[in-house]
């Protein structure tokens, strides 16, 4: 079955830039989406269509795509950004969704 | 305002059946797919499947095909996730979410609050 691969963890100091990657063979054909999940809460969409930001999401969140890898970038990381981040896309047919394994962002 | 409200936490024994619900409001329930996502304790999100309440077209991830059943009652704007015989490994938080499919986009736009299912003897 189709898989998306993320690093298990990323650590940054406050004010620095965090980059979280997600790799998958179908990413050149399918958009990627990013969700933030804080402990005890439901996930929240922070990036859609590779690089679009939903209303209400701070400008420090951005996304990019290159080949089989997409990247979530958080510029000027704040303590409140500490959370698990999941990428999501679809298989090559576009009918079945899939999540990456998730990345725990730690703000030092 | 789009809202998805899920049924409350459940504690069940292995072998029992269970049906949890997700009620949509604030939008046309029959015109959007609804999906279910599993999160086992301390683990990541898993895409289980989706249903289109307008015609009950349903799609399952291969990992969940035959393990659960997804249904919907459009007359009461409610989607369901059902087990016929629970196992301890079904212990997890289950989220419903509205699945957007348009113009090549496929993602969960709005989420329910989650339903915790605990299966223990």
């Amino acid at each position: 079955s189709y898989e998306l691969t993320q690093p298990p963890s990323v650590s940054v100091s406050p004010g620095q830039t965090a980059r979280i990657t997600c790799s998958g063979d179908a990413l050149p054909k399918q958009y990627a989406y990013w969700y933030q999940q804080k402990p005890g809460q439901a996930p929240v969409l922070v990036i859609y269509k590779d690089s679009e930001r939903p209303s209400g999401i701070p400008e420090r969140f951005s996304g990019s795509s290159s080949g089989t890898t997409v990247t979530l970038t958080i510029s000027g990381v704040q303590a409140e950004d500490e959370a698990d981040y999941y990428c999501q896309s679809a298989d090559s047919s576009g009918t079945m969704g899939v999540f990456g394994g998730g990345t725990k962002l730690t703000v030092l | 305002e789009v809202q998805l409200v899920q049924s409350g936490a459940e504690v069940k024994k292995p072998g029992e059946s269970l049906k949890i619900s997700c009620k949509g409001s604030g939008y046309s329930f029959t015109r959007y797919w609804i999906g279910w996502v599993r999160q086992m304790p301390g683990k990541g999100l898993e895409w289980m499947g989706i249903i289109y309440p307008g015609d009950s077209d349903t799609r399952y991830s291969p990992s969940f095909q035959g393990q659960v059943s997804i249904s919907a009652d459009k007359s009461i704007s409610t989607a369901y996730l059902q087990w016929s015989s629970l196992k301890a490994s079904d212990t997890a938080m289950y989220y419903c979410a509205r699945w957007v499919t348009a113009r090549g986009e496929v993602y969960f736009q709005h989420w329910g609050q989650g339903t915790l299912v605990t299966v223990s003897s």
Side-chain angles (χ1 to χ4, degrees):
Chain A
S1 59
Y2 183 50
E3 292 185 356
L4 296 174
T5 302
Q6 298 180 234
S9 63
V10 168
S11 299
V12 295
S13 298
Q16 288 190 328
T17 296
R19 293 181 179 85
I20 300 172
T21 59
C22 172
S23 300
D25 289 341
L27 288 177
K29 302 190 252 333
Q30 299 291 341
Y31 289 121
Y33 306 84
W34 290 95
Y35 302 87
Q36 176 194 68
Q37 187 182 34
K38 296 182 178 179
Q41 298 183 19
V44 173
L45 182 73
V46 294
I47 293 289
Y48 67 101
K49 280 177 66 176
D50 290 348
S51 59
E52 300 293 319
R53 200 173 47 250
S55 62
I57 301 301
E59 289 184 10
R60 63 181 180 273
F61 288 86
S62 64
S64 61
S65 175
S66 179
T68 59
T69 299
V70 294
T71 302
L72 171 69
T73 300
I74 311 172
S75 305
V77 166
Q78 300 182 7
E80 67 198 51
D81 299 329
E82 186 163 283
D84 293 324
Y85 291 86
Y86 296 90
C87 63
Q88 176 253 302
S89 187
D91 63 3
S92 55
S93 71
T95 58
M96 204 70 63
V98 61
F99 287 102
T103 298
K104 181 175 181 58
L105 175 65
T106 300
V107 181
L108 300 170
Chain B
E1 179 195 5
V2 174
Q3 282 197 314
L4 296 170
V5 178
Q6 299 185 228
S7 50
E10 301 274 1
V11 179
K12 292 288 190 178
K13 291 182 172 19
E16 292 186 333
S17 62
L18 176 63
K19 192 174 190 178
I20 62 175
S21 66
C22 169
K23 183 172 177 60
S25 63
Y27 72 100
S28 178
F29 186 74
T30 57
R31 296 181 62 186
Y32 292 85
W33 294 82
I34 289 273
W36 289 93
V37 175
R38 183 175 78 175
Q39 187 166 38
M40 299 175 76
K43 301 298 185 184
L45 304 175
E46 299 175 88
W47 195 96
M48 301 177 71
I50 53 175
I51 187 166
Y52 189 74
D55 61 7
S56 292
D57 185 10
T58 310
R59 301 176 189 177
Y60 295 92
S61 163
S63 300
F64 292 94
Q65 181 82 49
Q67 307 304 307
V68 297
S69 177
I70 295 172
S71 61
D73 184 341
K74 60 186 178 183
S75 69
I76 55 172
S77 301
T78 301
Y80 301 97
L81 179 64
Q82 186 171 9
W83 295 261
S84 58
S85 180
L86 286 160
K87 303 185 277 288
S89 57
D90 292 318
T91 295
M93 180 70 81
Y94 293 88
Y95 293 100
C96 68
R98 196 173 84 168
W99 181 247
V100 171
T101 61
R103 302 178 300 277
E105 303 171 48
V106 282
Y107 65 100
F108 288 120
Q109 187 180 40
H110 299 280
W111 294 70
Q113 83 276 19
T115 296
L116 181 62
V117 174
T118 303
V119 184
S120 174
S121 54

